[in-house]
């Protein structure tokens, strides 16, 4: 009620994300910060930092900023409950849907939807616009094909700052592989047993894996969800050629997974939609799917058949994983034809201008 009567400032833009300072919101923030425009860009976070204007949502100054802002930009729908129709709400979300979410899947997590002219939800293609419309129970006319801001980073090349932060010499390796599995468990999500730290391969052999990496001079980067990090950290402790990238380190350096993706020659994942983004780099992808039948029954997918939408080898045991990893190392064009088909369906734009398109989309509404 208070928010409806407080005048809005056209030059005040609020950003929010989970975790703080990350994902699509961070990428769009960095783009807007680079513009020669007189805008006040403010973050609402759990833990403010000194070099960025930021407040908590419980701070009186933070509350006043929220109430005065003309525009709110979010990755998870944060602040949607206090937002009013006079405020532009840009729902960047945090990835295109592959797993079933919202109205297509887990009914414990029902995404919000709005139906007013100041609401914007983004997609990467018409296929993804239709998928999001189903997941959000959203009018597709409120969904705009722009691409995702975070993917602009993929076209900037590898951010070698990450190697300095992790104290790694990339010149000591011939290939870099990134393992980035989906998140499986939370209070309202149960997508099966959390064994991602063993690549979801019950017969995973730590010693053989280490020897394989050393033989092929592979740097194996591992990026888990924050809630899986503790278990993974212990398992990968002091393992040669393996580096666990912690969320806290990325946040402290204003980085995220999308600074790292361009550094990877090969992506290993399971059911995470991160591979949709990696397709823009046209590099090999390996899918670890030892529990595919169980996962399909428990969670399900927005896009089926799974085998068509996943352009890379599907492995279910440790020996298959070794074999397919070796093929991907030897031949970067492995599954190239399939990658192109899916990339064209998922990513309409294949450039570094997603942030620019989104900004132009809602900027026209400011001041009206």
């Amino acid at each position: 009620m208070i928010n409806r009567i407080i005048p809005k400032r056209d030059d005040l833009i609020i950003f929010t994300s989970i975790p703080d300072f990350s994902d699509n919101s961070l990428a769009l923030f960095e783009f807007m910060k680079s513009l020669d425009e007189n805008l006040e860009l403010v973050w609402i976070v759990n833990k403010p930092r000194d070099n960025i204007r930021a407040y908590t949502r419980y701070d009186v100054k933070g509350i006043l900023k929220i109430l005065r802002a003309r525009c709110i930009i979010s990755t998870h729908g944060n602040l949607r409950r206090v937002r009013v129709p006079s405020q532009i709400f840009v729902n960047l979300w945090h990835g295109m849907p592959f797993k079933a979410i919202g109205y297509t899947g887990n009914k414990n997590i029902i995404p919000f939807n709005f139906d007013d002219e100041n609401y914007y939800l983004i997609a990467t293609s018409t296929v993804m616009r239709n998928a999001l419309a189903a997941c959000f129970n959203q009018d597709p006319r409120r969904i705009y094909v722009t691409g995702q801001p975070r993917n602009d980073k993929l076209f900037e090349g590898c951010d070698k700052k990450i190697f300095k932060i992790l104290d790694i010499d990339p010149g000591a390796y011939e290939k870099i592989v990134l393992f980035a599995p989906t998140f499986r468990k939370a209070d309202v999500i149960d997508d099966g047993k959390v064994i991602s730290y063993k690549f979801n391969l019950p017969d995973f052999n730590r010693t053989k894996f280490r020897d394989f990496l050393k033989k092929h001079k592979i740097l194996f980067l591992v990026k888990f969800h924050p809630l899986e990090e503790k278990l993974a950290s212990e398992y990968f402790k002091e393992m040669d050629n393996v580096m666990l990238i912690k969320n806290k380190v990325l946040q402290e350096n204003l980085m995220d997974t999308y600074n790292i993706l361009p550094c990877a020659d090969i992506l290993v994942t399971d059911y995470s939609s991160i591979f949709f983004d990696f397709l823009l780099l046209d590099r090999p992808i390996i899918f670890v799917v030892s529990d595919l039948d169980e996962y399909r029954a428990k969670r399900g997918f927005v896009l089926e058949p799974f085998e068509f939408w996943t352009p890379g080898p599907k492995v279910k045991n440790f020996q298959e994983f070794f074999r397919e990893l070796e093929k991907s190392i030897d031949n970067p064009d492995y599954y190239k034809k399939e990658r192109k088909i899916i990339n064209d369906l998922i990513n309409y734009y294949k450039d570094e201008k997603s942030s620019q398109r989104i900004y132009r989309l809602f900027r026209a509404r400011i001041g009206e």
Side-chain angles (χ1 to χ4, degrees):
M1 291 176 62
I2 295 172
N3 200 9
R4 287 181 180 274
I5 62 175
I6 291 182
K8 308 306 176 194
R9 282 178 45 197
D10 291 340
D11 65 334
L12 179 55
I13 314 292
I14 295 291
F15 291 84
T16 180
S17 67
I18 299 177
D20 294 341
F21 309 110
S22 68
D23 212 272
N24 281 316
S25 286
L26 176 61
L28 186 56
F29 167 78
E30 290 174 339
F31 169 79
M32 292 175 62
K33 188 173 65 171
S34 71
L35 299 175
D36 186 22
E37 296 195 24
N38 189 25
L39 297 173
E40 183 180 357
L41 309 179
V42 175
W43 281 84
I44 300 299
V45 296
N46 291 315
K47 188 177 180 180
R49 52 188 300 158
D50 295 335
N51 58 340
I52 294 180
R53 186 169 298 178
Y55 307 92
T56 71
R57 68 188 65 199
Y58 307 108
D59 186 313
V60 172
K61 291 182 179 179
I63 293 171
L64 291 175
K65 293 293 184 183
I66 294 168
L67 297 178
R68 292 299 308 279
R70 179 74 167 98
C71 180
I72 297 172
I73 295 171
S74 171
T75 60
H76 286 70
N78 318 57
L79 306 182
R80 67 187 182 275
R81 292 184 175 88
V82 298
R83 178 257 178 178
V84 292
S86 63
Q87 291 177 306
I88 296 168
F89 195 94
V90 184
N91 180 8
L92 300 175
W93 205 233
H94 48 280
M96 295 298 100
F98 182 48
K99 302 167 292 187
I101 62 170
Y103 290 90
T104 65
N106 191 329
K107 297 301 188 292
N108 290 320
I109 307 176
I110 302 297
F112 60 95
N113 58 20
F114 295 119
D115 190 24
D116 62 77
E117 61 184 5
N118 279 334
Y119 173 72
Y120 299 86
L121 174 60
I122 68 162
T124 58
S125 69
T126 53
V127 170
M128 286 291 96
R129 177 167 59 192
N130 292 335
L132 284 165
C135 294
F136 279 73
N137 191 26
Q138 181 72 57
D139 184 341
R141 291 171 295 183
R142 297 283 173 234
I143 305 175
Y144 301 85
V145 177
T146 61
Q148 297 185 93
R150 68 190 191 186
N151 286 345
D152 291 350
K153 297 180 181 181
L154 303 184
F155 297 92
E156 297 173 2
C158 178
D159 188 344
K160 295 184 179 180
K161 175 183 170 185
I162 188 64
F163 297 125
K164 185 176 181 180
I165 293 169
L166 298 175
D167 193 23
I168 293 173
D169 175 15
Y173 305 94
E174 293 183 0
K175 292 289 182 180
I176 297 177
V177 179
L178 173 66
F179 177 50
T182 192
F183 173 52
R184 288 176 176 261
K185 280 185 182 288
D187 292 341
V188 292
I189 299 175
D190 183 357
D191 287 347
K193 187 177 180 181
V194 182
I195 55 171
S196 292
Y197 62 94
K198 292 168 63 175
F199 306 103
N200 288 336
L201 299 173
D203 59 337
F204 177 74
N205 186 298
R206 178 186 172 96
T207 302
K208 289 182 179 179
F209 180 64
R210 179 197 61 201
D211 293 344
F212 181 89
L213 296 182
K214 294 179 75 172
K215 175 185 175 182
H216 292 275
K217 294 184 178 180
I218 297 171
L219 172 61
F220 207 92
L221 301 177
V222 183
K223 175 65 177 67
F224 291 105
H225 189 279
L227 296 182
E228 289 189 276
E229 276 185 3
K230 185 176 180 180
L231 186 61
S233 297
E234 188 62 29
Y235 195 82
F236 284 111
K237 189 175 182 180
E238 298 179 359
M239 183 183 285
D240 294 339
N241 292 53
V242 175
M243 179 61 68
L244 182 67
I245 302 173
K246 296 188 176 182
N247 288 274
K248 182 180 179 182
V249 171
L250 294 177
Q251 281 186 272
E252 288 173 348
N253 291 277
L254 274 186
M255 301 179 77
D256 60 23
T257 306
Y258 290 81
N259 297 94
I260 302 167
L261 271 184
C263 304
D265 298 296
I266 300 168
L267 173 68
V268 179
T269 188
D270 47 7
Y271 313 116
S272 171
S273 65
I274 192 174
F275 80 88
F276 287 157
D277 307 322
F278 196 71
L279 284 170
L280 290 166
L281 296 171
D282 190 23
R283 298 172 189 173
I285 306 167
I286 298 173
F287 297 88
V288 179
V289 294
S290 56
D291 62 342
L292 176 58
D293 292 339
E294 177 189 353
Y295 195 90
R296 179 184 274 126
K298 182 167 285 191
R299 180 68 179 264
F301 301 97
V302 177
L303 300 176
E304 286 277 20
F306 177 87
E307 290 71 20
F308 171 76
W309 290 101
T310 49
K314 270 66 77 174
V315 302
K316 294 189 176 183
N317 61 57
F318 195 46
Q319 288 305 312
E320 288 179 351
F321 176 62
F322 265 176
R323 184 170 63 248
E324 296 299 342
L325 182 55
E326 201 156 23
K327 287 181 182 178
S328 299
I329 291 170
D330 293 339
N331 180 17
D333 289 337
Y334 192 36
Y335 275 83
K336 184 179 181 68
K337 180 181 177 181
E338 292 85 350
R339 290 200 301 270
K340 185 181 186 310
I341 291 171
I342 302 304
N343 191 27
D344 288 343
L345 290 169
I346 298 299
N347 297 303
Y348 178 79
Y349 293 106
K350 301 173 181 66
D351 59 26
E352 72 288 355
K353 298 180 179 179
S354 295
S355 294
Q356 183 182 101
R357 281 186 288 270
I358 294 167
Y359 179 62
R360 288 177 176 174
L361 182 67
F362 73 82
R363 186 69 177 90
R365 296 291 306 171
I366 295 177
E368 290 186 1

